[in-house]
Amino acid sequence: MFDLINPSRIFYWIEKLINFINSIFFILLIIALTFALVLSPPDYLQGDSVRIMYVHVPSAWIGLASFTVIALLSMLSFIFKIKNLNIITKSIAPIGLLFTCLAIITGSIWGKPTWGTWWAWDARITSMLVLSIFYVLFILAHKLIEKEDKAIKVSNIIAVIGLINIPVIRYSVDWWNTLHQPSSIKIDGTTSIHPSMLMPLMLMLLVLLLYCALILLMKYKTEIIRIKKKNIKRI
Amino acid sequence: MIQNFISMNGYGFFVWLSFAITFLACGVVYYKTYRTLKKYEKDFAKELSQLSEAEKKLVLEKSKVASQFLASYNKSI
């Protein structure tokens, strides 16, 4: 099974996948933006400010999902000692950080017309900020620790500790009284969002996921080339 | 109608700012990632081309990634 995540096997598909994503990305982006900015109706309470949801919510989901994947792969790497998993987690981390920061920033912009303030030390917002700190620590561990094995160990520990924060973020709106509204879409698939708003939300999520895949593939390829370049002299 | 679309009933500043920041940040990250990848590809190809024929043969035999890389890189240039 682990042969499937062999760099030489993945490397073969990277170029094909990058070309495929590039060929459909802009068409999907235009469709998603048309739905998000033109076709979807304004909210009866929040008016047109609700359109911020179409970038804020997918960003937050991607930020959370990326860290969960990093933590799970780090655990697998601990157990099975598969080096390739560390290359994948290292490639995902900047994407996760980008989208966590975007969720915080767009949330802050959405907060001004909705709550009347740019920032509040609210449980959801603060726990998202903590997540971004974990991302920074994970990336810094790879950048600042020179010995690769030690860097991998430290970053894996950071990822596993940071995993505790994920359920805190998820349930913060239920556990504490927060300014942030409760989840409108549950993990079991039930939703209180009208289909006219759900459709653009899912389209924007798809577009941003494709973007993530594109960046991940390019970063992964860069990492593989960097390692092979280092190994060339050894061969 | 266009005026309404831009002003978003008074929320235009917040909506457009959110979308602009998101796409600008994504654009910058894409550009930087792409540039870094191309730089590494170029350096790696240069290093491979500087090897002697025997060394190159050995590298390509031992590393599937290197041979796949060279094949796709030669196709792209």
Side-chain angles (χ1 to χ4, degrees):
Chain A
M1 188 191 95
F2 292 127
D3 191 46
L4 287 173
I5 51 170
N6 186 317
S8 63
R9 215 172 245 276
I10 300 177
F11 202 87
Y12 172 77
W13 291 102
I14 287 178
E15 205 61 45
K16 287 179 191 288
L17 277 170
I18 288 176
N19 289 339
F20 173 71
I21 295 171
N22 273 330
S23 67
I24 59 167
F25 184 78
F26 281 102
I27 299 163
L28 277 172
L29 176 65
I30 290 166
I31 296 169
L33 283 178
T34 309
F35 270 95
L37 292 168
V38 184
L39 300 176
S40 78
D43 184 63
Y44 79 107
L45 260 179
Q46 298 185 46
D48 279 298
S49 73
V50 78
R51 294 182 200 282
I52 298 170
M53 170 178 78
Y54 302 126
V55 283
H56 171 72
V57 174
S59 299
W61 284 346
I62 292 169
L64 282 170
S66 298
F67 201 87
T68 310
V69 171
I70 289 173
L72 294 177
L73 292 183
S74 296
M75 280 193 237
L76 284 177
S77 158
F78 254 140
I79 301 164
F80 298 107
K81 310 279 177 218
I82 308 164
K83 275 206 167 177
N84 194 34
L85 293 180
N86 297 311
I87 305 172
I88 298 172
T89 56
K90 199 179 166 188
S91 307
I92 297 174
I95 304 166
L97 177 64
L98 167 72
F99 281 100
T100 305
C101 291
L102 283 175
I104 294 170
I105 294 166
T106 53
S108 167
I109 296 169
W110 198 3
K112 185 63 183 165
T114 315
W115 307 329
T117 179
W118 296 99
W119 185 265
W121 291 101
D122 165 273
R124 172 59 70 85
I125 306 166
T126 309
S127 52
M128 279 300 279
L129 190 67
V130 171
L131 177 67
S132 69
I133 294 168
F134 272 108
Y135 270 121
V136 171
L137 290 175
F138 184 90
I139 293 166
L140 282 181
H142 277 291
K143 288 225 187 267
L144 298 180
I145 301 171
E146 280 183 18
K147 272 194 165 180
E148 209 177 327
D149 285 348
K150 201 177 173 192
I152 288 168
K153 258 187 200 166
V154 172
S155 61
N156 283 353
I157 291 167
I158 291 168
V160 174
I161 295 171
L163 188 63
I164 301 164
N165 189 41
I166 302 295
V168 175
I169 296 172
R170 174 69 186 80
Y171 295 107
S172 55
V173 285
D174 304 320
W175 292 342
W176 292 284
N177 283 324
T178 62
L179 277 174
H180 199 282
Q181 67 173 69
S183 307
S184 305
I185 299 175
K186 303 264 190 295
I187 292 173
D188 62 15
T190 53
T191 172
S192 55
I193 299 182
H194 191 269
S196 60
M197 290 176 171
L198 191 61
M199 167 89 164
L201 185 62
M202 290 303 146
L203 276 170
M204 283 301 290
L205 177 66
L206 176 68
V207 166
L208 293 180
L209 281 174
L210 282 175
Y211 169 82
C212 289
L214 200 60
I215 299 293
L216 172 64
L217 291 169
M218 289 200 292
K219 281 201 177 291
Y220 181 82
K221 194 176 176 185
T222 309
E223 276 299 310
I224 296 290
I225 292 173
R226 190 183 63 82
I227 292 165
K228 293 291 161 191
K229 202 167 156 261
K230 234 180 13 182
N231 290 349
I232 232 178
K233 284 181 186 106
R234 234 183 281 165
I235 293 175
Chain B
M1 195 188 144
I2 291 171
Q3 186 107 32
N4 272 349
F5 176 64
I6 292 167
S7 76
M8 296 262 170
N9 293 315
Y11 293 111
F13 172 72
F14 302 104
V15 174
W16 292 116
L17 185 64
S18 297
F19 276 79
I21 288 172
T22 302
F23 287 103
L24 193 71
C26 288
V28 169
V29 170
Y30 177 84
Y31 179 72
K32 283 196 82 177
T33 311
Y34 180 80
R35 282 285 299 266
T36 312
L37 172 63
K38 290 295 153 194
K39 184 182 166 290
Y40 272 89
E41 277 184 346
K42 208 174 158 188
D43 289 353
F44 190 47
K46 197 176 161 191
E47 229 163 274
L48 282 174
S49 69
Q50 280 169 351
L51 295 174
S52 68
E53 278 306 310
E55 283 172 331
K56 199 191 258 181
K57 202 179 164 192
L58 187 70
V59 167
L60 296 182
E61 262 172 22
K62 285 215 171 186
S63 169
K64 264 189 190 175
V65 171
S67 58
Q68 283 169 6
F69 165 79
L70 211 60
S72 67
Y73 189 78
N74 286 339
K75 227 188 259 178
S76 70
I77 53 171

